[in-house]
Amino acid sequence: MIEEKIEFSNSQMLKWMGYVADMQDVTPEKIKLLNTCGKRRNVLATIATHKRILIFADSTHANMLYKCWEAGYGDYEMYYGEGYEPSEMKHCHISDMMDISISGPTVIFIVNENTRESMIFGMKNENFSSGSVKYVGHEIRSVIMNKLELDNCDTALMVSAESIVIEASMVAYEGVIIAAERDGGSLRAMEENVSKFGVHNVEIISDLKDETLAGLPVPRVAFIVATRENIEKDIESLLKINPEIKFIIYTLELNILADIKEIMNRHGVQATEVMQITVSKTDKNSVFVAQPSPWLITGEVIK
């Protein structure tokens, strides 16, 4: 049996938007619309950054409400409706319907007035799954996110960058973040974090071989935590799929820093900026906490 394709028309979504806006006595501009039908969308991240979100759903995210409850949104106020045309919606909390499996055309309106409607760069490391991975300091991650300059539809490839992948996927929520994790432990940690944060626009791969990259979206920018044995091969591989790709190289190793300009030049990439990030701070006991001071090298193709 072929499952019916569910697709809300623009007119139907606008009718639902008007219905909900009138019901809540707010202007439509105060409501975030998210269409998840047949699409990979970051539902949890969107809920976390909007006070009012109107979700159009189908079986693509069948266990969406359970995932919301699991993420700690069980007490959020919710209105639940079904069908393409506006009709009466069930008023409850997410926890009341966490076991519902979404199948047909479904409309969900979630309200949490206490939500901060802003993207916070540099999430604290304790938010991520614990394990063998040593995450970059959240202050440094804030600078890296600034350097990436992602927009909401961007495609980026990141090598050995677990926590940065998660933040990037929330910014580029309508794009794709490709996470390359060669180490088995790091790959498992990446999978755990993707599940924990409910980000559905992350593609996890274990290498940068031509056949692996062939079926993936073409990245505009690449962020690489450099290793001596792979950095040049990584640059070569990525230039094959996008001859104009932008590179942000992260390293703590002086030998890589010393050689990176020459490596880039060999492949027609110019190092346009080299910067070092140093963070000095004390803990709650006024004890100085030393953090690694990485170098960030920005490279762009010479035209």
Side-chain angles (χ1 to χ4, degrees), residues 25-41:
D25 194 25
V26 297
T27 60
E29 67 198 53
K30 293 185 179 294
I31 299 173
K32 169 66 177 177
L33 187 153
L34 183 66
N35 183 11
T36 68
C37 297
K39 302 173 182 178
R40 297 168 62 178
R41 290 289 185 260

Side-chain angles (χ1 to χ4, degrees), residues 235-253:
I235 290 174
E236 289 175 349
S237 297
L238 294 172
L239 284 170
K240 286 181 184 178
I241 59 172
N242 181 4
E244 296 184 351
I245 193 168
K246 178 180 178 179
F247 293 95
I248 307 289
I249 309 296
Y250 173 106
T251 185
L252 293 167
E253 301 179 35

Side-chain angles (χ1 to χ4, degrees), residues 49-73:
T49 53
H50 292 86
K51 296 182 185 297
R52 304 173 189 87
I53 173 171
L54 182 62
I55 304 171
F56 295 91
D58 61 4
S59 59
T60 305
H61 300 269
N63 64 341
M64 178 194 302
L65 295 177
Y66 179 81
K67 287 289 186 181
C68 289
W69 171 82
E70 191 177 42
Y73 304 146

Side-chain angles (χ1 to χ4, degrees), residues 96-112:
D96 297 328
M97 300 188 70
M98 55 180 274
D99 293 326
I100 293 293
S101 179
I102 299 170
S103 55
T106 303
V107 180
I108 299 168
F109 180 61
I110 296 174
V111 183
N112 181 35

Side-chain angles (χ1 to χ4, degrees), residues 144 148 156-165 177-183 186 190 203 205-209 213 219 221-227 230-231 233-235 237-238 245 247-251:
I144 292 170
L148 289 169
L157 186 144
M158 302 189 175
V159 180
S160 301
E162 296 85 1
S163 57
I164 298 160
V165 167
I177 305 299
I178 304 166
E181 298 292 343
R182 295 186 173 96
D183 173 71
S186 297
M190 187 76 262
E203 293 279 357
I205 57 178
S206 59
D207 58 66
L208 294 186
K209 294 178 181 177
L213 297 173
V221 60
F223 176 82
I224 302 174
V225 177
T227 61
N230 289 313
I231 182 58
K233 290 184 291 185
D234 289 350
I235 290 174
S237 297
L238 294 172
I245 193 168
F247 293 95
I248 307 289
I249 309 296
Y250 173 106
T251 185

